[in-house]
Structure formats: structure tokens, C-alpha cells
Amino acid sequence: MKSTAVENSLLMEFFVSQLQDIYWAEEHLVKTLPKMAEKATTDELANAFTNHLRETEEHVNRLEMVFEMIGEKAKAEKCEAMNGILKEGEDIISDTEKDTMTRDVGLIFAGQKAEHYEIATYGGLITLAKTLGFPDVAGILVQTLEEERGADTTLTDIAESQVNVAASGEQED
């Protein structure tokens, strides 16, 4: 439980605001990842998005647990950064040809932009949780951070092992 001093601090207010931001982002990724999986050309990329969807659903659950642990109501506030990243992902899908490796390259870019935003956010939240005296919260957030890093690595591996080279040989119709 937090002390009254922490409860009323500007830093605590900022921490809660950032939790609300990433909570919105994770909830929207739960809706977006199935669409990305559906639009992927390769099974490997589709499976990566599907697997990360299951993790992302758990991220939402963990954030709800974190809100409870700090005595706050789980509430999402629109994340303008993630909203822009998701919009860019939609543009990539509409700007690339269906069933091409170039589309997969674009989907990987969009996915990694989302992952990098999440990695930065969770890293900052972990530091704030420790500063505010919430080591258990920090521990939960570390789990999520590691999964986000793993998803980013998976996308890099898919790009480097097959997608980028295959896309480099595609020609315009």
C-alpha cells in the first residue's frame, strides 16, 4: 500500500497516467494483432502475431492487477503515440499488395514500432514503480517488458531469415 505522501505526489499522478496510456495501447493491440495476422503473407509472421496476441491479452490482465495493487481503478486513456502507430500500420496494409513479402516487411515495421514504444514505456514504468516503492509492481512489469523484447526479437528474426530477401526480389506489376 502506498503512503499518503506517495499517493498525493506528482510523480504518482504521472505514473498512473502512463499506466492508463499503456493500458489503452495494450487493449487496442488486442484488437489489431488478429488483423495483422490475417494480412500476413507468411505463416511464420501470422503465427508470430497470433502468439503475441495471447501475450498481449495477458499484458492487459497484468495491468489490471497493477492498478489494483496501487489502489487505482483500471482506466484506459487514449495513447496518441500508439494510436498513430496503429494508424500507420493500417496505411501500410492498404499501401502494399496483398500476398506479397513487401506487405510482410511493412507489417514487421509496424509491429516493431509498436514493440519499441511498449519497451520504452515498460522500462520507464519499472523505474517509476521502484522509485515509488512498488517493487512487486516492478516485478510484474518486468515480465511484460521481457515478452515485448521477445516479440521484437521474433520479428527481427523473421525479417532477417526470409522476408526481407524475398521482398527484395518482388517487382511491380
Side-chain angles (χ1 to χ4, degrees):
M1 195 65 192
K2 58 191 173 208
S3 72
T4 305
V6 168
E7 189 174 307
N8 296 324
S9 75
L10 291 174
L11 187 59
M12 183 66 187
E13 185 179 315
F14 181 79
F15 180 65
V16 170
S17 162
Q18 293 306 299
L19 285 170
Q20 292 169 338
D21 180 269
I22 197 67
Y23 186 54
W24 186 97
E26 295 285 20
E27 285 184 323
H28 281 76
L29 283 168
V30 165
K31 297 172 189 167
T32 302
L33 285 166
K35 296 174 191 170
M36 293 175 77
E38 178 187 320
K39 300 295 183 182
T41 300
T42 62
D43 288 341
E44 188 177 9
L45 183 57
N47 291 337
F49 288 136
T50 300
N51 292 338
H52 194 54
L53 170 62
R54 286 190 285 278
E55 289 179 337
T56 304
E57 290 167 339
E58 183 57 30
H59 299 168
V60 171
N61 293 335
R62 284 187 199 138
L63 285 168
E64 290 168 352
M65 192 171 25
V66 164
F67 278 111
E68 188 175 316
M69 291 169 74
I70 65 170
E72 295 285 337
K73 182 179 182 291
K75 179 179 139 193
E77 289 290 331
K78 186 174 184 178
C79 174
E80 294 296 342
M82 187 61 74
N83 190 51
I85 290 168
L86 295 175
K87 168 86 174 78
E88 185 176 336
E90 291 170 10
D91 291 347
I92 286 170
I93 291 169
S94 65
D95 292 346
T96 54
E97 283 187 48
K98 180 181 176 189
D99 299 326
T100 64
M101 296 304 259
T102 300
R103 176 171 282 177
D104 276 10
V105 168
L107 288 169
I108 290 169
F109 260 69
Q112 287 192 297
K113 286 179 181 185
E115 293 310 318
H116 289 201
Y117 177 78
E118 291 175 298
I119 289 166
T121 300
Y122 282 109
L125 286 170
I126 291 163
T127 302
L128 290 180
K130 290 175 184 175
T131 300
L132 291 166
F134 299 121
D136 293 347
V137 167
I140 290 169
L141 297 173
V142 165
Q143 287 178 273
T144 301
L145 175 61
E146 292 307 315
E147 290 170 358
E148 301 296 8
R149 286 179 175 154
D152 180 52
T153 299
T154 297
L155 292 174
T156 296
D157 291 346
I158 293 169
E160 291 178 348
S161 69
Q162 64 176 341
V163 172
N164 289 356
V165 170
S168 70
E170 291 178 333
Q171 301 294 317
E172 287 187 49
D173 290 338

